[in-house]
Amino acid sequence: MNDSKIKNMDEFASVSGISRPTLSKYFNDADSVRKSTRERIEKALAQYDYQPNFYAMNQNRRLTKNVGIVIPYMADPFFAEIARNIENHVIEAGFRPIVLGSHGDPEQEIENLNNLRLIKPAGVLLAPLGRVSDRGRIAAFCEDVPTVLFDANIDNVGEAFIGSDNDQSIGLMVDYLCRTGQPPAFFEMRTPTNPNALKRRAAYIKAMNRLGHEPNLVQAEGDGWDFEEIGFREGSRVITERTLPTDTILCSNDRLAIGLLSAAYQLGLRVGLGPNCALRVAGHDDHPFSRYTCPTLTTVSQDYTSIASISAETLFNVIDSEHKSTSRLVTLFDGKLVMRGSA
């Protein structure tokens, strides 16, 4: 027996004259190599007293039970709710969820992915920031780690994308608002953070043209994730300036709508459907707070449950397949109209 202790598989490959891939194959499944090769390896093991580090091998093979869940903003109840749903599916499948928030910061988003890379996750479920995300570094991560995107899409990145059909949901709301009152203007951020906002803008224009109405964009100045503050500040401005082209406002998301509702109240405008109402306001997402505004917010609900379950199930299928798919899967769910007091 050789007195020198072999520290790792590379050293063992060097002293035994057997290639590292062949050794790795043997340690994964001894019967997968030829009998003569197996005998050479076993003789070398006895000679050099080498014991492989199976924990490290499992790490290298991504056999850990860790699954990362990365969302844009931990403090947003919308993302907290969908992360909670996904977390439950991950636990039920026997994996360990690790939930991280990017705080609206693209560098923090990459730091989250780098930290996950260190623990060799089985896979990652990622809701990217979107417009400000570092696409190149996220794409590089997804090449190394099985990753499924949800909520916001980055084209051709990750194994799959699971989200909402913005064309369908915005079209549904525009139809309703036009049917029940004046055609809506679209209240949005001029430079939206989330790519869903751009899809909703395009869907609004498409729906208005289809119905024979002139689209009207009311664009708010501001950037980042403080949507309520932007909705309040810019809503106050357009109401005070009396520049609204209609008494019906469709907001790009519920958080902007919540800010606009507050601005209308502050300026003495009554929002809703009654004869004394000066404004109708609608949103998108069915944010958990939308049912508690005053008046309660008319909106389009996203299918949290299906997005969470299909995102998790898709990732588990990718992990089980142990190879990259030849085509990227995209699954979109319809929204549902939620009629409340604001419109």
Side-chain angles (χ1 to χ4, degrees), residues 72-80 103-104 187 189 193-194 200 223-233 235 251-263 281-290 293 297-299 304:
Y73 209 73
M74 196 79 79
D76 187 330
F78 172 83
F79 289 111
H103 309 301
F187 185 57
M189 292 165 61
T193 301
N194 191 297
R200 291 171 191 174
D223 203 353
W225 288 81
D226 292 329
F227 299 127
E228 292 88 356
E229 189 276 331
I230 293 169
F232 177 80
R233 171 171 43 81
C251 298
S252 178
N253 64 60
D254 284 350
R255 292 180 61 190
L256 279 176
I258 290 169
L260 179 59
L261 286 175
S262 181
V281 175
H284 191 290
D285 294 336
D286 198 20
H287 189 281
F289 291 169
S290 63
T293 57
L297 182 63
T298 292
T299 185
Y304 292 93

Side-chain angles (χ1 to χ4, degrees), residues 48-61:
Y48 294 103
D49 191 28
Y50 172 63
Q51 292 292 327
N53 185 337
F54 287 103
Y55 174 77
M57 290 169 60
N58 284 345
Q59 290 283 81
N60 290 333
R61 293 204 308 271

